[in-house]
Amino acid sequence: MAREPFKRNPMKRLRLTVKGIVQGVGFRPFVFKVASALNLKGWVLNDEEGVKIEIEGDEEKLEEFLRELLSNPPPRAEIEEVEKEELEPIGYSSFEIKESEESFERSVLVSPDMATCEDCLRELFDPQDRRYRYPFINCTNCGPRFTIIKDVPYDRDKTTMASFKMCPDCLSEYHNPLDRRFHAQPNACPKCGPKVFLLDREGRKMEVDDPIREAIKLLKEGKILAVKGLGGFHLACDPFKEEVVWELRRRKWREDKPFALMCKNLEVVKELCFLEEGAEKLLLSKERPIVILKGKPSSRIAPSVAPGQNTLGVMLPYTPLHHLLFEDGIRCLVMTSGNISDEPIAYKDQEALERLSKIADFFLTHNRPIWMRCDDSVMKVFKGKPLFFRRSRGYVPKPIFLKGAKRNVLALGAELKNTFCITRGSYAFLSHHIGDLENYETFRSFEEAIEHFKKLLRVEPELLIHDLHPDYLSTRYALEKDIPRLAIQHHFAHALSCMAEYGLEGPVLGIIMDGTGFGEDATIWGCEFLEVTTEGFLRLGHLKYIEMPGGEKAIREPWRMGAIYLEKAFEGKWTMDRYKELGWELLREGVKRGLNAPLCSSMGRLFDAVSSIIGLRDMVNYEGQAAIELEVLADPKAQGNYPFEMDGYVVDPLPMIRAIVRDLEAGINRSQVAMRFHRTISKMILQVAQRAREERGLQEVVLSGGCFQNLLLLELVTNLLEGNHFKVYTHHKVPPNDGGISLGQAYYGSRWRS
Ligand code: ZN
Ligand code: ZN
Ligand code: FE
């Protein structure tokens, strides 16, 4: 039937609930603007679920409103879903932004720290500006946040800026709604704000006119400086002088772990590294993470910066103090976290002096205290998108949207690379990088940070989720609290953390390639094929069990895994002379008698074994080192792969071990063997996935676990699975390693139906 030409469109009223990252990102003013432009009436409001909108008007206009809402939201917003309900029109006469309840306003989200913005930079280097060369310049769009906030609501007196009283000029900016420093809590200037000092290693203040220029001079002379940043101290030195970098390594006891670099600008990064697609955007983002890039052989960076690697971790300056350090000719600095070996990063002035005085020659510090320590974030780019290695400064405490959350929980994370996660409503708040919960210092900072997050979020968790491992400090933490708790298996949590990113409920096939995690049968799991839903998992299969000779010790000594794999592959009839010299004969007797030889199905240990067998690494200084070097060694152009056997969903790699030995004996070079090994693993995964699709109807695959930090493996697996029409999900919001575990635990716990 044809429509009557002049009939008015019917009036409609909609109630919308917009979920996702929609608070503290300018969403309500945006809704107000769009609604007003379309002459629609109603209101918008923030509440626990997200943004609520009631909107009334004619049908076409409402549709236009919805289109605009979904296609042009504010830049920092991330809409996850919009619930729509149609109601009887009631004749609103205007559109307004409603005030939320006070208790809710108090819990409005705390912002992460942000890199110095372009406007502030312009002033910083403008000799006419009153903040010319002032190292604490900031505004509403940049500067410290998370690291200086003691409590909410976010007001100056609740930050570490409380002791600095604003001068009249600063105060008038602060109160002027049209000024870009309106309500900028850390606002300051040379007259009223914090100051920098240069100290010698005994902590004595050095009488110099310009501490920053003096620091630059010292760096150029080859000195090592501790520099106070946003979330802690860095150790800085000249990355082009091998003797200086080597000396830093010696003093820091950092064995072989790579040092990060800070470059003056993008031009310098391009001189040192190959800039792949997507990297530039990340480097320049206000989060300013360390981005791991392929280094150029021509870069002249000292070999001790990143031993055994073909990559460099680089970042750009993110505080005014950093920018000032790159005046006077410095182009690049080592900027590694200020700690000894695996201890937490130093952030309190006195503590830093004590702990770092044996490493740093001088301290470039200041009197704005850091309240929460926060390490730099670290990432790589995978297929143009970010892949986290460590999610910390710049990203914390930005929430991640959790689908289907029913209760507020505290997820305690894993033992290594620990983060915890607190949920409030549909938001998951992952903590900054806490570190390895093996020493008392780190455990204390874990407890302190949990209390801090609870305070900032005004939330008391109803449920604790911890790892199945009975001896973890985080497990003990949970057992001591008088709060209901759930234990979940490590690799189940890995799968869930990836599912949480996409709101998947399963069933999906979880392919977890990992180091170690406590298994439900009390063995050590690590290469797991799981059928997963948000409610539980079925272990379809895994890498065939093998002993870890000497238990944990095998992690530091990959040759032990090499030896046991050869032992099994050749039924005890053949091993390498090298292993005999390392003491295999004796160890082997121990394994036979079952002495300290736990069973494992770990992919990390298989990587270790292969890198030892091909003669790359018999010992490592940190977990994963052998695997990283194997990835570096692999020649992507090499063809071919090795045989393996499958029994159901249990993969036996012994035929591959035999074939590798044959290749080596035939004089095939190690780069080729390393590549064939990577290809073989991806073929194993494909076969498992195909079987799971045939037998279990699983079409969607999630990839998680520390081994997927290996981009070569990740790419081979993703391409192979996608080429065979699987839907593949990989991590983009949290790391595939244990730093992402707490999100998976929280996803499970927050949906738990008791
Ligand atoms: Zn700014
Ligand atoms: Zn001032
Ligand atoms: Fe893990």
Side-chain angles (χ1 to χ4, degrees):
M1 197 172 74
R3 229 164 135 184
E4 286 174 49
F6 295 108
K7 188 178 172 188
R8 274 191 59 190
N9 278 322
M11 291 286 281
K12 263 180 145 182
R13 177 164 66 118
L14 295 178
R15 178 178 291 164
L16 307 170
T17 307
V18 188
K19 296 184 180 179
I21 311 301
V22 289
Q23 293 172 349
V25 293
F27 208 88
R28 286 173 304 170
F30 155 74
V31 169
F32 178 82
K33 238 173 53 199
V34 177
S36 308
L38 292 168
N39 197 25
L40 295 166
K41 316 291 185 201
W43 49 259
V44 56
L45 164 81
N46 269 345
D47 78 0
E48 247 89 36
E49 281 190 286
V51 169
K52 284 248 164 69
I53 305 167
E54 269 204 26
I55 190 150
E56 190 174 80
D58 86 40
E59 199 170 353
E60 269 174 36
K61 291 272 172 67
L62 284 174
E63 262 163 37
E64 211 177 318
F65 173 82
L66 276 172
R67 262 198 308 277
E68 190 61 16
L69 189 79
L70 291 171
S71 56
N72 272 323
R76 277 158 65 212
E78 288 167 29
I79 298 179
E80 297 287 344
E81 62 181 284
V82 179
E83 283 172 17
K84 202 168 98 179
E85 192 187 346
E86 209 180 310
L87 305 166
E88 281 298 305
I90 50 173
Y92 285 119
S93 59
S94 64
F95 195 90
E96 58 178 301
I97 298 180
K98 278 203 196 176
E99 288 294 312
S100 316
E101 278 175 39
E102 204 202 303
S103 65
F104 182 78
E105 283 298 328
R106 246 192 290 130
S107 63
V108 151
L109 308 181
V110 167
S111 159
D113 302 300
M114 291 171 282
T116 311
C117 73
E118 289 300 318
D119 290 333
C120 285
L121 272 184
R122 220 169 291 124
E123 291 178 4
L124 182 66
F125 291 111
D126 174 4
Q128 307 308 316
D129 195 272
R130 71 188 189 94
R131 290 189 181 86
Y132 176 56
R133 298 192 72 247
Y134 180 57
F136 303 94
I137 187 169
N138 68 79
C139 72
T140 316
N141 294 322
C142 76
R145 295 290 187 278
F146 172 68
T147 50
I148 61 164
I149 294 175
K150 297 179 179 181
D151 198 358
V152 285
Y154 173 50
D155 276 324
R156 188 174 179 104
D157 64 347
K158 300 244 170 55
T159 72
T160 61
M161 286 294 292
S163 60
F164 300 97
K165 208 169 162 294
M166 269 187 261
C167 69
D169 287 342
C170 286
L171 208 58
S172 83
E173 294 167 336
Y174 180 86
H175 286 303
N176 177 4
L178 298 175
D179 195 280
R180 62 185 194 85
R181 295 194 168 89
F182 177 57
H183 282 186
Q185 304 301 345
N187 190 24
C189 78
K191 257 189 275 168
C192 65
K195 292 184 173 33
V196 288
F197 314 102
L198 191 63
L199 310 178
D200 67 13
R201 66 193 318 169
E202 270 83 47
R204 284 181 303 239
K205 194 162 148 192
M206 305 194 28
E207 290 310 323
V208 289
D209 292 341
D210 188 331
I212 297 176
R213 289 227 150 98
E214 188 64 26
I216 295 172
K217 218 176 85 198
L218 292 165
L219 285 165
K220 284 182 174 170
E221 284 168 11
K223 297 287 191 288
I224 296 169
L225 265 69
V227 178
K228 190 169 172 183
L230 273 181
F233 280 80
H234 280 123
L235 290 158
C237 73
D238 185 340
F240 298 104
K241 295 196 178 99
E242 173 61 14
E243 69 281 7
V244 175
V245 182
W246 191 86
E247 179 62 17
L248 172 60
R249 205 165 267 292
R250 189 188 67 77
R251 292 187 199 171
K252 205 171 135 66
W253 296 12
R254 195 168 164 99
E255 294 153 339
D256 292 333
K257 281 194 196 175
F259 290 148
L261 301 174
M262 185 177 274
C263 294
K264 181 182 167 82
N265 53 35
L266 210 55
E267 293 314 303
V268 180
V269 177
K270 284 179 191 161
E271 280 167 32
L272 305 180
C273 303
F274 296 101
L275 212 55
E276 59 207 290
E277 198 199 324
E280 183 169 331
K281 201 173 137 208
L282 265 183
L283 282 165
L284 290 169
S285 68
K286 64 184 184 318
E287 290 85 3
R288 291 284 155 108
I290 295 170
V291 183
I292 302 175
L293 298 167
K294 264 237 164 73
K296 287 188 177 168
S298 59
S299 74
R300 291 188 305 108
I301 289 289
S304 283
V305 169
Q309 310 211 5
N310 57 358
T311 53
L312 293 170
V314 296
M315 60 183 148
L316 293 174
Y318 56 85
T319 70
L321 181 60
H322 292 151
H323 284 283
L324 293 169
L325 271 180
F326 289 98
E327 286 185 303
D328 299 347
I330 290 189
R331 301 167 55 71
C332 181
L333 287 170
V334 164
M335 275 282 192
T336 183
S337 40
N339 55 6
I340 296 174
S341 193
D342 292 330
E343 288 177 7
I345 186 171
Y347 72 110
K348 286 180 183 147
D349 298 327
Q350 197 47 42
E351 172 220 347
L353 263 176
E354 282 159 22
R355 284 173 53 199
L356 302 180
S357 64
K358 289 198 175 63
I359 308 178
D361 300 311
F362 297 92
F363 289 78
L364 183 61
T365 183
H366 57 73
N367 58 347
R368 184 183 70 202
I370 297 171
W371 191 253
M372 252 302 120
R373 80 171 43 132
C374 198
D375 291 79
D376 293 317
S377 295
V378 183
M379 47 219 319
K380 268 193 185 179
V381 181
F382 176 62
K383 298 193 172 185
K385 285 207 219 151
L387 174 70
F388 281 95
F389 278 43
R390 178 197 291 160
R391 182 184 184 272
S392 204
R393 180 194 43 80
Y395 298 91
V396 174
K398 182 184 158 181
I400 293 169
F401 178 75
L402 264 195
K403 193 173 163 192
K406 291 187 187 67
R407 62 183 76 239
N408 297 337
V409 304
L410 165 58
L412 298 164
E415 178 88 336
L416 301 178
K417 302 185 173 72
N418 179 277
T419 64
F420 61 82
C421 175
I422 292 192
T423 72
R424 192 180 75 192
S426 307
Y427 291 140
F429 298 87
L430 255 77
S431 73
H432 49 294
H433 168 76
I434 304 284
D436 299 347
L437 288 186
E438 290 172 321
N439 63 52
Y440 174 71
E441 266 302 298
T442 317
F443 184 69
R444 227 192 43 195
S445 91
F446 169 77
E447 288 183 304
E448 281 172 10
I450 289 174
E451 289 313 307
H452 186 57
F453 268 69
K454 275 162 53 179
K455 193 158 98 174
L456 289 186
L457 297 167
R458 294 280 191 268
V459 64
E460 273 303 326
E462 323 159 28
L463 185 63
L464 301 181
I465 302 99
H466 62 90
D467 193 272
L468 207 55
H469 201 302
D471 301 330
Y472 279 2
L473 286 177
S474 53
T475 300
R476 263 186 265 165
Y477 174 94
L479 295 180
E480 278 165 19
K481 301 282 172 221
D482 193 20
I483 305 174
R485 57 182 180 266
L486 292 172
I488 76 167
Q489 202 277 326
H490 184 91
H491 302 102
F492 176 38
H494 266 304
L496 285 168
S497 78
C498 188
M499 290 164 71
E501 287 193 21
Y502 297 92
L504 301 177
E505 296 178 332
V508 299
L509 176 63
I511 293 184
I512 317 302
M513 301 284 124
D514 204 27
T516 56
F518 192 79
E520 289 190 323
D521 56 0
T523 65
I524 298 164
W525 293 11
C527 167
E528 306 302 314
F529 309 119
L530 312 175
E531 182 171 331
V532 188
T533 72
T534 47
E535 298 188 350
F537 72 98
L538 178 67
R539 191 188 193 202
L540 298 176
H542 52 88
L543 189 69
K544 196 173 174 188
Y545 285 129
I546 196 161
E547 290 91 346
M548 268 170 83
E552 294 261 298
K553 239 188 167 165
I555 297 176
R556 290 242 155 193
E557 301 185 6
W559 74 269
R560 291 167 182 250
M561 293 312 299
I564 190 74
Y565 267 110
L566 288 188
E567 175 82 13
K568 302 277 167 179
F570 297 98
E571 291 163 340
K573 293 184 192 111
W574 182 79
T575 192
M576 295 194 288
D577 292 341
R578 222 171 67 243
Y579 290 162
K580 287 184 194 155
E581 281 159 32
L582 286 162
W584 175 237
E585 299 291 322
L586 198 66
L587 195 59
R588 180 185 176 199
E589 289 314 305
V591 172
K592 275 191 182 149
R593 279 183 284 138
L595 285 176
N596 200 10
L599 291 176
C600 78
S601 57
S602 164
M603 181 52 68
R605 299 296 80 77
L606 181 59
F607 266 84
D608 286 352
V610 170
S611 63
S612 169
I613 290 171
I614 69 174
L616 182 63
R617 271 275 160 198
D618 285 337
M619 310 278 183
V620 292
N621 290 317
Y622 59 93
E623 191 185 2
Q625 186 178 11
I628 290 169
E629 294 181 2
L630 198 61
E631 177 190 358
V632 172
L633 180 70
D635 170 9
K637 291 187 294 293
Q639 292 302 317
N641 50 269
Y642 298 119
F644 55 88
E645 274 165 25
M646 271 184 54
D647 176 10
Y649 294 92
V650 176
V651 180
D652 182 354
L654 293 181
M656 174 184 76
I657 300 291
R658 288 189 286 269
I660 287 175
V661 172
R662 274 198 304 274
D663 258 7
L664 292 171
E665 283 173 349
I668 306 281
N669 79 37
R670 299 192 306 185
S671 312
Q672 243 167 316
V673 175
M675 188 62 197
R676 288 180 180 174
F677 166 69
H678 278 82
R679 284 192 198 285
T680 309
I681 303 300
S682 61
K683 289 270 196 274
M684 285 176 187
I685 290 173
L686 176 65
Q687 276 201 26
V688 167
Q690 282 171 329
R691 182 181 276 257
R693 178 161 62 189
E694 275 162 35
E695 295 181 1
R696 318 278 313 173
L698 299 173
Q699 175 69 35
E700 297 185 313
V701 180
V702 302
L703 304 178
S704 190
C707 298
F708 284 119
Q709 290 182 106
N710 177 331
L711 257 62
L712 175 61
L713 182 68
L714 183 61
E715 190 170 352
L716 284 170
V717 172
T718 313
N719 290 348
L720 204 54
L721 289 173
E722 283 175 351
N724 284 276
H725 314 293
F726 286 94
K727 175 84 183 114
V728 182
Y729 296 92
T730 59
H731 284 280
H732 290 298
K733 294 181 182 169
V734 299
N737 64 36
D738 288 1
I741 286 280
S742 62
L743 180 66
Q745 293 174 337
Y747 193 37
Y748 181 71
S750 65
R751 303 170 69 104
W752 176 254
R753 287 186 264 263
S754 54

